[in-house]
């Protein structure tokens, strides 16, 4: 029980910024009298004395009398408790960081469908084609899409012997009129589709990224060819407007 109390005292002692500054000051010198310490703060001698008393109770500061003067010096040994605690969690977060870096490296190695399209239509018109269910049906598939984050929907087309014709999706990002993202689950693949729009000098640039493919297999190649075909259908659709 005593050990827990001492640990608590050390953490309490260093929790205050004034006391941390006192530690910093004393770490640079052998010892200092109270009046010299007080001169370095915008507070009275009594307030500084109270902070020093807390540090003394935690064993972080030691005082001694020299005549009528009290001088203070740092005893860093109790701070080892904090150092050990920080070291433990530094190791913990370093391990998590390495795991994250590994996951990101693996993700970078995963194939991505990346395509760019350009249209003379306004960005608002292209955005509408991406988010209006009836317009989507004319160049992608029949759907019950709504541009609402969290909305779950399906793209549907005629099935064949290789595919049931259904794509299950959920809206992830809606940032009108520049970014739209949703999941794309079909054919055993769970991927994510992201559309990014920008308008430059009367031309709307549309970028597509579909991420999450395990390899450059049939699903990946089918998706890439499919989006190229649908992009051409969108171009024709916008030209009619």
């Amino acid at each position: 029980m005593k050990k827990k109390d001492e640990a608590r005292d050390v953490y309490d002692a260093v929790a205050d910024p004034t006391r941390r500054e006192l530690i910093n000051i004393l770490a640079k010198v052998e010892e200092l009298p109270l009046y010299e310490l007080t001169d370095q703060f915008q507070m009275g001698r009594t307030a500084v004395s109270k902070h020093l008393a807390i540090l003394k109770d935690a064993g972080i500061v030691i005082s001694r009398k020299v005549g009528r003067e009290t001088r203070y010096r740092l005893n860093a040994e109790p701070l080892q408790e904090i150092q050990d605690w920080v070291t433990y969690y530094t190791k913990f977060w370093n391990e998590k960081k390495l795991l994250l870096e590994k996951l990101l490296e693996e993700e970078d190695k995963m194939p991505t469908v990346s395509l760019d399209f350009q249209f003379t239509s306004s960005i608002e018109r292209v955005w509408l084609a991406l988010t209006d269910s009836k317009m989507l049906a004319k160049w992608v598939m029949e759907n019950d899409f709504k541009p609402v984050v969290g909305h779950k929907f399906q793209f549907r087309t005629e099935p064949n012997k290789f595919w049931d014709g259904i794509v299950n999706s959920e809206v992830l990002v809606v940032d009108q009129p520049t970014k739209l993202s949703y999941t794309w689950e079909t054919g055993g693949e769970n991927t994510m589709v992201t559309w990014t729009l920008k308008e430059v000098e009367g031309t709307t640039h549309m970028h597509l990224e579909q991420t999450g493919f395990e390899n450059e297999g049939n699903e990946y190649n089918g998706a890439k060819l499919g989006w190229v075909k649908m992009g051409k259908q969108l171009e024709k659709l916008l030209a009619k407007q």
Side-chain angles (χ1 to χ4, degrees), residues 163-183:
W163 181 42
D164 62 6
I166 297 174
V167 178
N168 293 303
S169 300
E170 180 179 348
V171 180
L172 302 176
V173 177
V174 179
D175 188 4
Q176 183 176 353
T178 59
K179 188 173 183 179
L180 175 69
S181 183
Y182 44 78
T183 59

Side-chain angles (χ1 to χ4, degrees), residues 102-116:
K102 182 179 179 181
L103 290 172
L104 291 174
E105 286 177 2
E106 291 177 354
E107 185 175 295
D108 289 340
K109 295 177 182 177
M110 298 173 72
T112 297
V113 173
S114 182
L115 297 170
D116 289 289

Side-chain angles (χ1 to χ4, degrees), residues 36 83 137 158 165 169 184 221:
E36 287 192 32
Q83 176 63 37
E158 290 294 325
S169 300
W184 185 280
N221 291 317

Side-chain angles (χ1 to χ4, degrees), residues 25-237:
I25 293 170
L26 291 172
K28 299 172 183 176
V29 296
E30 184 174 347
E31 64 178 14
L32 281 177
L34 176 59
Y35 77 89
E36 287 192 32
L37 288 169
T38 302
D39 288 344
Q40 300 187 56
F41 296 92
Q42 294 183 339
M43 61 180 71
R45 179 175 297 196
T46 301
V48 173
S49 294
K50 289 181 179 179
H51 284 296
L52 287 168
I54 293 172
L55 292 172
K56 284 181 63 179
D57 289 342
I60 300 172
V61 165
I62 298 173
S63 66
R64 70 184 182 96
K65 283 283 189 179
V66 180
R68 299 177 61 183
E69 183 181 80
T70 302
R71 301 181 70 85
Y72 297 87
R73 64 184 176 86
L74 178 67
N75 176 36
E77 185 176 348
L79 297 175
Q80 185 64 45
E81 177 81 22
I82 297 175
Q83 176 63 37
D84 293 342
W85 184 83
V86 171
T87 299
Y88 172 80
Y89 282 100
T90 298
K91 179 181 178 182
F92 172 81
W93 285 115
N94 283 341
E95 291 174 350
K96 296 298 182 183
K97 181 181 178 182
L98 288 173
L99 178 59
L100 176 59
E101 289 175 350
K102 182 179 179 181
L103 290 172
L104 291 174
E105 286 177 2
E106 291 177 354
E107 185 175 295
D108 289 340
K109 295 177 182 177
M110 298 173 72
T112 297
V113 173
S114 182
L115 297 170
D116 289 289
F117 307 90
Q118 294 183 2
F119 307 104
T120 56
S121 300
S122 67
I123 191 171
E124 291 80 10
R125 190 63 186 171
V126 178
W127 177 262
L128 187 64
L130 286 173
T131 57
D132 180 79
S133 179
K134 291 182 179 179
M135 290 190 70
L136 270 174
K138 294 179 180 180
W139 67 280
V140 183
M141 286 179 266
E142 292 292 334
N143 63 90
D144 55 344
F145 176 85
K146 292 180 181 179
V148 178
V149 173
H151 174 64
K152 295 181 179 180
F153 66 100
Q154 288 185 333
F155 285 109
R156 299 177 297 275
T157 190
E158 290 294 325
N160 56 48
K161 62 180 180 179
F162 303 107
W163 181 42
D164 62 6
I166 297 174
V167 178
N168 293 303
S169 300
E170 180 179 348
V171 180
L172 302 176
V173 177
V174 179
D175 188 4
Q176 183 176 353
T178 59
K179 188 173 183 179
L180 175 69
S181 183
Y182 44 78
T183 59
W184 185 280
E185 301 177 30
T186 188
E189 291 276 4
N190 186 348
T191 60
M192 181 173 68
V193 172
T194 300
W195 301 97
T196 305
L197 304 179
K198 66 178 180 180
E199 191 170 24
V200 180
E201 297 180 353
T203 299
T204 299
H205 300 262
M206 182 175 76
H207 178 70
L208 162 71
E209 280 199 0
Q210 187 171 2
T211 58
F213 293 98
E214 293 184 2
N215 53 63
E216 293 186 4
N218 293 333
E219 289 80 8
Y220 169 82
N221 291 317
K224 189 171 184 179
L225 292 173
W227 287 120
V228 170
K229 180 180 178 180
M230 287 184 277
K232 292 179 179 178
Q233 292 174 337
L234 175 57
E235 185 175 15
K236 292 178 181 180
L237 176 63

